[in-house]
Amino acid sequence: MTEINTASAMNSLYQKMQAWAQSHGFQQLGISDVDLSETEARFNTWIEAGFHGEMDYMDRHGTLRTRPEELVNGTVRVITVRMDYWPDAAAEPWSVINDDQKGFVSRYALGRDYHKLMRKRLQLLADDIKAEVGDMGYRVFCDSAPVMEKALAEKSGIGWVGKHSNILNREHGSYFFLGEIYTDLPLPVSEPTTEHCGSCTACIDECPTQAIVAPYKVDARRCISYLTIELRDSIPVEFRKAIGNRIYGCDDCQLVCPWNKFAQATVESDYLPRHGLDAPQLIDLFAWTEQEFMKKLEGSPIRRIGYEAWLRNIAIALGNAVTNDEVVEALKAKLDHESKIVKEHVEWALAQHS
């Protein structure tokens, strides 16, 4: 390994890393140590409360999530980067949410799956660092392992955890993806930023299902993103009306956040809308066959929920739409669907129109 054990050499490397990160399309880079003891205590309390719902993997991974050095032996620093994803060319979100004949898809999922792009860019960044310092131990992550990415982002100065539990940045709001490089390089750590939510409760007040049960605390079991993406079973009846026309995820808490007036548009074409998903007609989506679903959503993060959950979500949205012949006929066409879950939600939706 190249000699980088002096403060000046470390600072020089840090500055080069900032430039390399920018060259690979990241808008910010920060570095943190691996002490997440405070986060671990809060996380365990959250798990004990059952707020993780059916995401059993969160509990199953134990301390691997909160102790980076256990996940990757030798890790002493975590490099965190962020990449803006706000698709400026997409239809205005509230105009879609307020049109019950259309379906709302979370803005992060309108284009191609970010995981592959982020991991590829993270690997390029790691290659740059390795070329500079010689051999080093590292692993890159982007939702690909039990990583406390928000806590690490906060420690590295990327932003602060807002009351809705997303990372907020004063210059960029919250519409960005995070990625990490675990490394054994004793790099200088970045200065954490301060919290700037103040007395604002816009996200808490706006949440359709009251999932933000206290500032900085989200009960995933009530969250529309969890219900429409993570949950594979029937969606509890108590939340179906509140879901409205949100068929994949929910952005409400971010849309009302004052800091997102500073959100920056993405420069990545992969994050721009495909197949009209920024303002799609529910009836059109509901008519997709499973083959069409797989083909049109190839490379999309939506594809991972599967066709059954896709129809389940759209059935709820159609149940919440204003009654008309087209909506009712579309639902009736799926009454005999082979999936019990789809059939159950179609029956519920039709009952809303009777």
Side-chain angles (χ1 to χ4, degrees), residues 101 280-288 314 318 324 326-327 330:
Q101 302 297 307
Q281 294 293 321
L282 288 168
I283 291 176
D284 294 341
L285 299 183
F286 204 52
W288 284 3
I314 299 172
L318 287 171
N324 60 50
E326 291 78 10
V327 167

Side-chain angles (χ1 to χ4, degrees), residues 80-110:
T80 295
V81 294
R82 65 171 185 82
M83 181 182 286
D84 296 334
Y85 71 74
W86 180 255
D88 223 21
E92 197 282 317
W94 290 116
S95 69
V96 181
I97 294 171
N98 293 324
D99 186 340
D100 59 40
Q101 302 297 307
K102 293 179 179 177
F104 181 79
V105 174
S106 183
R107 303 291 94 170
Y108 85 85
L110 296 180

Side-chain angles (χ1 to χ4, degrees), residues 30-37 68-69 75-80 151-152 155-156 182 187-190 192:
I31 302 171
S32 69
D33 59 31
V34 295
D35 180 11
L36 296 177
S37 53
E69 68 278 15
T75 298
V76 296
R77 295 289 186 268
V78 177
I79 303 165
T80 295
L152 291 166
K155 290 201 74 174
S156 70
Y182 280 30
L187 298 162
V189 297
S190 308

Side-chain angles (χ1 to χ4, degrees), residues 160 163 195-201 216 259:
W160 74 93
K163 292 179 181 178
E195 183 267 341
H196 296 282
C197 284
S199 61
C200 178
T201 59
Y216 316 103
W259 287 109

Side-chain angles (χ1 to χ4, degrees), residues 96-246:
V96 181
I97 294 171
N98 293 324
D99 186 340
D100 59 40
Q101 302 297 307
K102 293 179 179 177
F104 181 79
V105 174
S106 183
R107 303 291 94 170
Y108 85 85
L110 296 180
R112 293 186 177 278
D113 195 333
Y114 65 93
H115 294 90
K116 290 182 179 179
L117 186 148
M118 287 286 288
R119 280 199 293 269
K120 180 179 178 181
R121 303 288 182 84
L122 281 165
Q123 185 59 57
L124 292 173
L125 175 58
D127 290 342
D128 288 334
I129 301 170
K130 190 173 182 179
E132 180 75 14
V133 305
D135 191 32
M136 69 173 189
Y138 75 93
R139 278 185 63 185
V140 302
F141 297 109
C142 182
D143 288 346
S144 52
V147 173
M148 294 293 287
E149 63 174 14
K150 295 178 183 178
L152 291 166
E154 186 173 46
K155 290 201 74 174
S156 70
I158 297 293
W160 74 93
V161 176
K163 292 179 181 178
H164 47 21
S165 83
N166 295 306
I167 294 293
L168 282 166
N169 181 287
R170 295 185 74 175
E171 286 77 39
H172 293 260
S174 63
Y175 298 118
F176 47 78
F177 299 124
L178 297 170
E180 299 79 32
I181 301 176
Y182 280 30
T183 181
D184 59 3
L185 291 177
L187 298 162
V189 297
S190 308
E191 187 71 25
T193 186
T194 51
E195 183 267 341
H196 296 282
C197 284
S199 61
C200 178
T201 59
C203 59
I204 298 174
D205 300 337
E206 185 66 29
C207 181
T209 53
Q210 291 80 58
I212 309 174
V213 295
Y216 316 103
K217 187 178 294 184
V218 175
D219 184 346
R221 298 168 299 182
R222 304 183 64 90
C223 178
I224 293 175
S225 287
Y226 167 82
L227 294 170
T228 58
I229 299 173
E230 302 295 338
L231 186 64
R232 291 293 181 267
D233 296 326
S234 298
I235 292 177
V237 174
E238 63 183 297
F239 301 126
R240 294 182 187 177
K241 295 300 291 184
I243 285 174
N245 64 345
R246 300 166 186 83

